[in-house]
Each structure stands twice: as C-alpha cells, then as structure tokens.
Amino acid sequence: MISFQDVSFRYPRSKWLFKQLNLEIKQNLITFIAGPNGGGKTTLGKLMAGILKPEVGTVLVNGLNTKDVELAEIGAKVGYLFQEPERQIFAATVRDEIGFVLELHEIKQAEITAKVDAVLKQFQLEHLANLSPLKLSRGEKQRLAIAAIMVNQPRFFILDEPTTGLDQERKEILSSVIERLQDEGIGMVIISHDQYFMQRHAQQIITVVGGEIVDVANCST
Amino acid sequence: MWQTAALDPRTKLILVLTFSSLAVFIKNVYILFILLVVTLVAVRAIGGDLWSIFRKLQRFITIFVAIIVIQSIFTAHGHVILQIAQIRLLTDIGLLRGVQTILRFFIVIAAAVIMTTANPRDIIQGLIQWKIPYELAFMVTIAIRFLPLLQEEAKDTLTALQLRGVNLKKIPIFKRLKTYSYLLMPLLVSVLMKSRDLSVAMEMRAFRAFPQRTSLRELHFRRADYYVMLLSILFFLMLLFTAIKIS
Ligand SMILES: Nc1ncnc2c1ncn2[C@@H]1O[C@H](COP(=O)(O)OP(=O)(O)OP(=O)(O)O)[C@@H](O)[C@H]1O
Ligand SMILES: [Mg+2]
C-alpha cells in the first residue's frame, strides 16, 4: 500500500532526519509507529500521506509517487488525522463539516444528505449534527474529524496520536471506531505511545528513534 | 564598517521609512534602480538575509508578468513590442510601468527585511522612547511576532483541506470563493484562541497594573546611529530633489 524506497528527508535548514529509509506498509494491517518524542513519527506519517515530500528517493502510495500527484488525489485514498483536531475543522456545523466536500464536488443534495446521515449515525454524532464543531469536546471533535474523512471512503487511514487528551471512556469509543474501520477492510497507521492502546490493536509495530527504524515487530492479536 | 549589528532599532526604523517612502514617491525607473541598489547594500551591511528577499519575490512573479501585460493592453499609446491578433500584449510603456512596480515591490520588501534584524523587545523599547504608548507599541510587536506563525498555520490548513479531497484547481470558479471561506474558519478560530490565551497570560503577569512603566533596559543612540540617520536624511533629500528636477 505504502512503500518507501531509499527515502532521505530533512526539514529546511536542518540536518538529515531520515537517511536511506526502506519501509513497506501493508494495506490490511494495523501498523503502529512508536518511539520517543522528536524521533520522527509525525514526519514519517506526513511523508506517507504526501504532506511532506522526500528530498531523495520515492514514496509510493498505492503505486503512485507522492511527488507526482496532487494532495487531493492522495487524500481521496488515504485519510490523515492531524495531531490537533482543530486544524482540520472547517465548517460552521457538524453536519456541514461532514458534507461540505461533497457539496463542493457537485454531488446531488439527496445523495449528500443520505451519506452524511449514514456517517453521523455510524460515529454516534447524530445528536450533535446542528452544533458548531467548536463547541464539541476534544474526543467528539476527533470523532468528527474521522467521520468527515470517512465520507470520502478512503482505503487507508493515518492517525497521529489519536489518544492524547482522551479519557478511558473516549479511548474505548475510539477503539471501537478503529475496530469498525478494520472490519471494513481499511488499513491503518497509528502513531502512538499509548501502551495499552498499542497492545490492543497493533499487528505490526515500527519503532523510530532519532530518524532510524530500530525495530519492526509483528504481533498477533 | 562600523558595528552595524548594534544599530539602534529606531535608526533601523528610520532607514525603513526612508527607503519605502522614497519607493512610493519616485517614478523614474533609473532612480528607483539606484534606490534599490542602495537599499540592498544597506540590508547587507546591517546583516539582513538577502536570499530571503529573493525567495519572497519569487511568489510575485506571475503578478508582475500580469501587471506588465495589463498595463500594455490598457495603455493606448507607446510602441508595440509584441502583438497577437489585435491585442497589444507588450508595449514599451507597459514594460516601463511594470518594471516600475517590480522595483517598488523589491525595495519595500528589502527595506522590511532590515526590521527583521532588530530584536522585537528592542523595537517596543524604541517606540516607547519615542513616546508612543506602551499598549500600542506592544500591539505592533505582537503583530510582527505572530504573522509568520499564522503563515505556517495557513499552509497547514490548506494541506488539511486538500487531504480532504478538495482540489482547488478543479473547483468551479463560482464555488472557489466558498472554498476560501472554509479555509478562513480554522484560521480565525486559531487567532481568536491565541489572542484569548495571550490576554489571560498578560493579565496574569499584571499587564497595565501600574500606569507608569519603567524599564531596566534603555536604548541609547551611539555615534554610528547619528551617522546613519544623517546619511539617510541626506539621501532622502537628494533623491527626492533629483526626482523632482528630472520630471
Ligand atoms: N517543521 C519543522 N521544521 C524543522 N524541524 C522540524 C519540523 N518539524 C519537526 N522537526 C524536527 O524533526 C524531528 C522529528 O519531529 P517529529 O514531529 O516527526 O517527531 P515525533 O516523533 O512526532 O515527536 P512527538 O512524539 O513529540 O510527536 C524533531 O527533532 C523536530 O525538532
Ligand atoms: Mg508527533
């Protein structure tokens, strides 16, 4: 699904973060990326989604080179959840937040309504549909962000630290969301330090320290 | 060279004002060019980053070309350099006006870079010593500090929107405005949240608790400051005088 071929990357005016990285992420697995702060987890996730482009080497998403395609094209296949949910909330109501991308794409109103309703129900956001997204709690905002990505029906998800700031109960809800996505055959990369969460969902764990992949472990759940 | 890095922020402010106001007043392309060279030399001497000026200019290239073409098409007189069918795409007057605008842009951006070499804390102090109210001076520096941050965020937001499958190039024109309004939302929210946090933090540190503020650090003009200021005033008058005489 996502493959790194001799990828080297550095931020402008910094030293190399990744050098000659090779990596293969499979479509049908839940892969965790773990490691200490500043190890390069977020950067790795952004490279996977084409938000950042490698300076040397290629990143292929579904066979497409991230250097050659528009971000919107990758976005249609890969959903990306930012570490801060506020960054990706655009509309004035929860309902509009889920539907506005479809509206911009000139899909028929009836079809939009049906799709939005289905997603609202799936993510238990129906009672919040007409509220402003800014009034939601952190956990709800995050669920909304995932829901809004889901209307595009991506085949793959990258979640950056989805459990930070969630209490036990919200984590439980997030876990069930992840399991539901998994049942639908959607692959995932989850960036997280959360041990409990990792043990529960991980099928593969990649550990990144100082820009190096120090460990790739397969686990059975 | 004297110790330019230690120039008083007020001196730098005067330099910026001199260069940018001249850029606005002067029309003659040759004088503008001289002004540009002097500005660049000044930026270099003060230790500003010349490359950052070029990087900033790169973004405006399409606008520059557009200005030249539009000036050519809508200015009736002048010699035609390039013509397609009945449309005069490039005339000498259009070219001249275009170059004029580019030079002005260039000078103003270069002058602004001078200010980035000053420490924001010193800028406030300089403004206060010019008897500008502290609140106002503080607002100015906050604006200077937060603009680059906002730019970063705008970029991230655009990325997030594109990842949602929105391709700005493929959205029909009449819907594009609506798309931009969606971009504005997270930015506004972030600005409002930041300013709220900032005001709380300022209250906590007793901002405006006393009507009179004193500061530990006082700025003093040095000899180099007086030289630079005198030079810039002379330069200002000289260029203005030449420009008036030529026209
Ligand atoms: N925009 C940037 N410009 C320059 N350097 C950056 C930028 N973003 C991150 N870095 C640097 O790259 C390194 C990796 O950062 P990254 O955010 O990928 O780490 P992380 O593993 O996600 O950390 P965390 O656990 O804190 O989220 C860090 O040393 C960081 O300072
Ligand atoms: Mg991170």
Side-chain angles (χ1 to χ4, degrees), chain B residues 104-190:
Chain B
R104 283 179 170 165
F105 244 84
F106 208 157
I107 294 163
V108 170
I109 289 176
V113 168
I114 293 177
M115 239 29 239
T116 63
T117 63
N119 174 340
R121 187 71 197 74
D122 283 352
I123 300 176
I124 305 191
Q125 187 59 30
L127 292 175
I128 292 167
Q129 283 178 238
W130 265 348
K131 305 277 182 262
I132 288 170
Y134 186 77
E135 290 83 352
L136 225 76
F138 190 75
M139 275 196 278
V140 170
T141 28
I142 292 290
I144 295 173
R145 273 290 290 279
F146 277 86
L147 271 181
L149 270 180
L150 203 61
Q151 202 183 356
E152 273 296 300
E153 249 169 63
K155 233 192 263 169
D156 282 2
T157 308
L158 184 63
T159 306
L161 188 68
Q162 284 174 308
L163 274 178
R164 288 276 284 272
V166 177
N167 190 342
L168 281 177
K169 288 180 203 144
K170 288 191 185 145
I171 303 273
I173 299 279
F174 61 95
K175 286 224 164 162
R176 214 170 284 175
L177 221 58
K178 192 153 182 225
T179 317
Y180 287 127
S181 75
Y182 283 117
L183 271 178
L184 223 52
M185 164 91 169
L187 281 182
L188 268 177
V189 169
S190 126

Side-chain angles (χ1 to χ4, degrees), chain B residues 58-88:
Chain B
Q58 269 177 2
R59 285 184 231 150
F60 295 107
I61 285 177
T62 29
I63 299 179
F64 290 153
V65 174
I67 288 173
I68 293 180
V69 173
I70 290 169
Q71 290 278 12
S72 298
I73 294 177
F74 293 105
T75 317
H77 43 285
H79 292 288
V80 178
I81 300 172
L82 181 72
Q83 183 163 13
I84 295 175
Q86 287 301 309
I87 302 166
R88 300 138 49 100

Side-chain angles (χ1 to χ4, degrees), chain A residues 11 14 17 36-43 83 161 193:
Chain A
Y11 283 104
S14 313
L17 181 56
N37 288 133
K41 303 184 295 299
T42 299
T43 312
Q83 210 163 337
E161 314 250 0
H193 316 269

